[in-house]
Amino acid sequence: MPANASTDATQSDTIAAKLAEVKARIEAACLLAGRAPEEVNLLAVSKTKPLEAVTSAFGSGQRHFGENYLQDALTKIDAAPEGAIWHFIGAIQSNKTRPIAENFDWVHTVSSAKVARRLHEQRPAHLPALNIFLQVNIDGDPNKSGTQPDQLPDLIKEVRQYERLALKGLMALPEQTHTLESQRKPFCALRQLQNTYLSEAKELSMGMSGDLEAAIMEGATWVRIGTDIFGARELKT
Ligand SMILES: *Cc1c(COP(=O)(O)O)cnc(C)c1O
């Protein structure tokens, strides 16, 4: 149908333009931070967005996609172009680890030894080790997910035993704030934890649409961008 076709074209033009804008922001932040832009990977967060959004971004060269909701993700993973790389970035219920271990390449939100052990046991033998980040509750807010910083050393020790997991680094999802200075603080704290406890793993998953510059200044190697690529989401965040 012509109407749909033109809507699709408009949407993919928009996604292409927004991807280019985000990449320009990443480059500008890297320049400011004295870092090489190749050090920062862009994870396009397609949660709640339709398959067409993923396909459009893929057509513009984007390969890494982040999803939070398992059912929504599995439908897209099945139908998405070959070559898309999938990252699970949502809260993990321990009874849902198997489909995550079977269908994703990266998991950013491991925050307990129990979930880590299950992902290790359930990672299919024909696939490479599952790349994981340990999520840290960097704000210390008891209502937030992530391991408490003082429990991180024990969790790291535990996870290092699991050869079906490749421990890549730390991840945080701090409270959204609105000045560069206040945004940098929790990212800086995460980087220091990384240096102290996990110096062999170099990746830091931090920064979203509203604070990617602060995250890059503090050493992010993965920024997770949804809204500024795919537009605002309805309801769920
Ligand atoms: C939704 C989400 C993002 C993307 O947030 P935007 O503000 O839309 O860029 C990044 N990381 C996590 C863990 C998310 O849940």
Short mmCIF file of all heavy atoms in Angstrom, two decimals, residues 14-39:
data_model
loop_
_atom_site.label_atom_id
_atom_site.label_comp_id
_atom_site.label_asym_id
_atom_site.label_seq_id
_atom_site.Cartn_x
_atom_site.Cartn_y
_atom_site.Cartn_z
N THR A 14 14.05 8.86 9.08
CA THR A 14 14.20 9.48 10.39
C THR A 14 15.20 8.71 11.24
O THR A 14 16.08 9.29 11.87
CB THR A 14 12.84 9.50 11.12
OG1 THR A 14 11.90 10.10 10.25
CG2 THR A 14 12.91 10.29 12.40
N ILE A 15 15.06 7.38 11.24
CA ILE A 15 15.98 6.57 12.05
C ILE A 15 17.41 6.73 11.55
O ILE A 15 18.34 6.89 12.35
CB ILE A 15 15.52 5.09 12.07
CG1 ILE A 15 14.26 4.98 12.95
CG2 ILE A 15 16.63 4.16 12.57
CD1 ILE A 15 13.60 3.62 12.93
N ALA A 16 17.59 6.76 10.23
CA ALA A 16 18.94 6.95 9.69
C ALA A 16 19.51 8.30 10.14
O ALA A 16 20.67 8.39 10.56
CB ALA A 16 18.91 6.87 8.16
N ALA A 17 18.68 9.33 10.07
CA ALA A 17 19.14 10.68 10.46
C ALA A 17 19.46 10.73 11.94
O ALA A 17 20.47 11.32 12.37
CB ALA A 17 18.08 11.72 10.10
N LYS A 18 18.61 10.09 12.76
CA LYS A 18 18.84 10.13 14.21
C LYS A 18 20.07 9.32 14.60
O LYS A 18 20.82 9.72 15.50
CB LYS A 18 17.60 9.63 14.94
CG LYS A 18 16.46 10.62 14.82
CD LYS A 18 15.28 10.23 15.68
CE LYS A 18 14.52 11.48 16.05
NZ LYS A 18 13.87 11.40 17.35
N LEU A 19 20.27 8.21 13.93
CA LEU A 19 21.49 7.42 14.17
C LEU A 19 22.72 8.27 13.86
O LEU A 19 23.69 8.27 14.64
CB LEU A 19 21.51 6.19 13.26
CG LEU A 19 21.08 4.87 13.83
CD1 LEU A 19 21.04 3.81 12.71
CD2 LEU A 19 21.99 4.40 14.95
N ALA A 20 22.67 8.97 12.77
CA ALA A 20 23.81 9.83 12.40
C ALA A 20 24.03 10.91 13.45
O ALA A 20 25.17 11.20 13.81
CB ALA A 20 23.58 10.44 11.02
N GLU A 21 22.94 11.48 13.96
CA GLU A 21 23.07 12.51 15.00
C GLU A 21 23.72 11.95 16.27
O GLU A 21 24.57 12.58 16.88
CB GLU A 21 21.69 13.04 15.41
CG GLU A 21 21.22 14.25 14.66
CD GLU A 21 19.76 14.57 15.01
OE1 GLU A 21 19.40 14.55 16.22
OE2 GLU A 21 18.97 14.79 14.07
N VAL A 22 23.26 10.76 16.67
CA VAL A 22 23.82 10.15 17.88
C VAL A 22 25.30 9.85 17.67
O VAL A 22 26.13 10.10 18.56
CB VAL A 22 23.03 8.87 18.26
CG1 VAL A 22 23.78 8.05 19.29
CG2 VAL A 22 21.64 9.25 18.78
N LYS A 23 25.66 9.35 16.49
CA LYS A 23 27.08 9.07 16.24
C LYS A 23 27.90 10.35 16.27
O LYS A 23 29.04 10.35 16.77
CB LYS A 23 27.24 8.37 14.89
CG LYS A 23 26.79 6.93 14.96
CD LYS A 23 27.07 6.22 13.65
CE LYS A 23 26.32 4.91 13.60
NZ LYS A 23 26.17 4.42 12.22
N ALA A 24 27.32 11.44 15.78
CA ALA A 24 28.03 12.72 15.83
C ALA A 24 28.21 13.17 17.28
O ALA A 24 29.27 13.71 17.64
CB ALA A 24 27.27 13.78 15.02
N ARG A 25 27.20 12.95 18.12
CA ARG A 25 27.35 13.28 19.54
C ARG A 25 28.45 12.45 20.19
O ARG A 25 29.23 12.94 21.01
CB ARG A 25 26.03 13.05 20.29
CG ARG A 25 25.02 14.18 20.12
CD ARG A 25 23.70 13.80 20.75
NE ARG A 25 23.75 13.67 22.20
CZ ARG A 25 22.77 13.12 22.93
NH1 ARG A 25 21.68 12.65 22.33
NH2 ARG A 25 22.88 13.04 24.23
N ILE A 26 28.48 11.16 19.85
CA ILE A 26 29.51 10.28 20.41
C ILE A 26 30.90 10.78 19.99
O ILE A 26 31.82 10.89 20.81
CB ILE A 26 29.29 8.82 19.96
CG1 ILE A 26 28.01 8.27 20.61
CG2 ILE A 26 30.50 7.94 20.29
CD1 ILE A 26 27.59 6.90 20.10
N GLU A 27 31.03 11.14 18.72
CA GLU A 27 32.33 11.61 18.24
C GLU A 27 32.74 12.91 18.92
O GLU A 27 33.91 13.08 19.31
CB GLU A 27 32.31 11.79 16.72
CG GLU A 27 32.45 10.46 16.01
CD GLU A 27 32.38 10.59 14.50
OE1 GLU A 27 32.70 11.67 13.96
OE2 GLU A 27 31.99 9.59 13.87
N ALA A 28 31.78 13.81 19.07
CA ALA A 28 32.08 15.09 19.72
C ALA A 28 32.51 14.87 21.17
O ALA A 28 33.47 15.49 21.65
CB ALA A 28 30.87 16.01 19.65
N ALA A 29 31.81 13.97 21.86
CA ALA A 29 32.16 13.69 23.26
C ALA A 29 33.54 13.05 23.35
O ALA A 29 34.32 13.35 24.26
CB ALA A 29 31.10 12.80 23.90
N CYS A 30 33.84 12.16 22.42
CA CYS A 30 35.16 11.51 22.41
C CYS A 30 36.27 12.54 22.18
O CYS A 30 37.31 12.50 22.83
CB CYS A 30 35.22 10.44 21.32
SG CYS A 30 34.35 8.94 21.78
N LEU A 31 36.01 13.46 21.27
CA LEU A 31 36.99 14.51 20.97
C LEU A 31 37.29 15.30 22.24
O LEU A 31 38.44 15.53 22.60
CB LEU A 31 36.41 15.43 19.89
CG LEU A 31 37.39 16.37 19.20
CD1 LEU A 31 38.42 15.57 18.40
CD2 LEU A 31 36.64 17.33 18.27
N LEU A 32 36.21 15.67 22.93
CA LEU A 32 36.32 16.44 24.16
C LEU A 32 37.09 15.66 25.24
O LEU A 32 37.84 16.21 26.03
CB LEU A 32 34.92 16.75 24.66
CG LEU A 32 34.67 18.05 25.39
CD1 LEU A 32 35.08 19.24 24.53
CD2 LEU A 32 33.18 18.16 25.75
N ALA A 33 36.85 14.35 25.26
CA ALA A 33 37.45 13.50 26.31
C ALA A 33 38.83 13.00 25.90
O ALA A 33 39.47 12.28 26.67
CB ALA A 33 36.52 12.32 26.59
N GLY A 34 39.26 13.33 24.71
CA GLY A 34 40.55 12.83 24.23
C GLY A 34 40.55 11.34 24.00
O GLY A 34 41.55 10.66 24.22
N ARG A 35 39.41 10.81 23.56
CA ARG A 35 39.32 9.37 23.31
C ARG A 35 39.07 9.12 21.83
O ARG A 35 38.54 9.98 21.13
CB ARG A 35 38.16 8.76 24.13
CG ARG A 35 38.29 8.97 25.63
CD ARG A 35 37.14 8.30 26.36
NE ARG A 35 37.07 6.87 26.08
CZ ARG A 35 36.00 6.12 26.30
NH1 ARG A 35 34.90 6.68 26.80
NH2 ARG A 35 36.01 4.84 26.02
N ALA A 36 39.41 7.91 21.37
CA ALA A 36 39.13 7.53 19.99
C ALA A 36 37.67 7.08 19.89
O ALA A 36 37.23 6.27 20.70
CB ALA A 36 40.05 6.40 19.56
N PRO A 37 36.92 7.59 18.92
CA PRO A 37 35.51 7.21 18.77
C PRO A 37 35.30 5.71 18.63
O PRO A 37 34.26 5.19 19.03
CB PRO A 37 35.07 7.93 17.50
CG PRO A 37 36.04 9.04 17.30
CD PRO A 37 37.33 8.61 17.94
N GLU A 38 36.30 4.99 18.12
CA GLU A 38 36.15 3.54 17.96
C GLU A 38 36.08 2.82 19.30
O GLU A 38 35.68 1.67 19.36
CB GLU A 38 37.33 2.92 17.16
CG GLU A 38 37.60 3.54 15.83
CD GLU A 38 38.41 4.84 15.94
OE1 GLU A 38 39.55 4.80 16.46
OE2 GLU A 38 37.88 5.89 15.52
N GLU A 39 36.47 3.51 20.38
CA GLU A 39 36.40 2.87 21.71
C GLU A 39 34.98 2.79 22.23
O GLU A 39 34.72 2.11 23.21
CB GLU A 39 37.20 3.69 22.73
CG GLU A 39 38.69 3.67 22.56
CD GLU A 39 39.35 4.62 23.57
OE1 GLU A 39 38.76 4.94 24.61
OE2 GLU A 39 40.48 5.05 23.26
#
